[in-house]
Amino acid sequence: MAPERNAGTAVCPGSYDPVTYGHLDIIGRAANVFDSVVVGVVNQPVRKQKTLFSAADRVSFIEEQIAEYPHVQVKPFDTLLVDFAREHGAKAIIKGLRAISDFEYEFEMNQLNRKMAPDIESIYFMAAPEYSFLSSSGIKELAMFGGDISGLVPERVAARLQEELKR
Ligand code: PNS
């Protein structure tokens, strides 16, 4: 029986360049708690760095993995995160925390987002131990040097990474 949920809408924002099983774990856990989840894929170079994959690719990589969650949708966004959340009537922003090193950045983002939208709560899910070392940048580096990334990202993402990095 599907678990009962009564927690409204949440957004799960990120660059997802590319999505990893760590991200998908957080999205799935958010989907188990909230009535509706909007995965927001940043369509802006937030950190000036160009993304390896286009927003359309990053959206489709996630969409392919969420078939079991009909109440999860994936959308690109290029506005303030809090505006994106408001647009979707979200009460919460969900983020994953892997290690203490994530805390400083997330703390800063939390303060900024809270200042702009005190009515939207940021909620942090601790990464599952098996994914606590996993990051999109780590995956790209591993792939670039021929490391084995199977089991860390979906198969199509792994294949596309090999293609992109050959260029
Ligand atoms: O770590 P990520 O995946 O690059 O995080 C992206 C995001 C949007 C979740 C993070 O930068 C954030 O919380 N930003 C808040 C400020 C904001 O709204 N930026 C505009 C993004 S289009």
Side-chain angles (χ1 to χ4, degrees):
M1 203 169 75
E4 278 202 26
R5 298 175 293 263
N6 187 23
T9 298
V11 295
C12 285
S15 301
Y16 300 109
D17 186 40
V19 70
T20 68
Y21 281 135
H23 294 131
L24 291 166
D25 179 59
I26 300 288
I27 293 167
R29 286 159 60 193
N32 288 335
V33 175
F34 288 86
D35 303 303
S36 138
V37 173
V38 185
V39 180
V41 175
V42 172
N43 189 14
Q44 277 287 334
V46 174
R47 295 188 196 116
K48 290 184 192 147
Q49 251 175 332
K50 198 178 169 327
T51 53
L52 181 62
F53 294 105
S54 69
D57 277 345
R58 287 178 282 135
V59 167
S60 79
F61 293 153
I62 302 170
E63 277 174 343
E64 287 164 11
Q65 300 296 318
I66 54 164
E68 68 187 286
Y69 301 112
H71 59 301
V72 177
Q73 51 180 324
V74 190
K75 291 190 172 173
F77 74 104
D78 56 12
T79 59
L80 279 175
L81 171 57
V82 291
D83 290 341
F84 178 73
R86 280 216 176 97
E87 197 184 306
H88 291 90
K91 292 200 276 189
I93 293 167
I94 306 293
K95 300 230 183 151
L97 279 185
R98 289 162 301 189
I100 295 179
S101 51
D102 282 343
F103 181 83
E104 203 172 327
Y105 171 72
E106 292 302 346
F107 188 68
E108 184 186 332
M109 291 299 134
N110 181 290
Q111 304 295 314
L112 290 173
N113 291 331
R114 178 189 294 268
K115 178 100 185 120
M116 292 182 288
D119 52 314
I120 300 175
E121 195 60 59
S122 293
I123 300 176
Y124 299 87
F125 285 7
M126 297 307 293
E130 62 270 37
Y131 302 129
S132 59
F133 61 93
L134 197 50
S135 67
S136 299
S137 50
I139 286 294
K140 283 182 277 197
E141 189 162 332
L142 230 68
M144 197 179 300
F145 291 95
D148 181 10
I149 54 169
S150 55
L152 303 178
V153 292
E155 271 175 35
R156 196 167 83 86
V157 173
R160 282 291 312 279
L161 264 170
Q162 305 299 349
E163 280 172 28
E164 288 299 320
L165 296 170
K166 265 191 219 147
R167 292 187 193 181

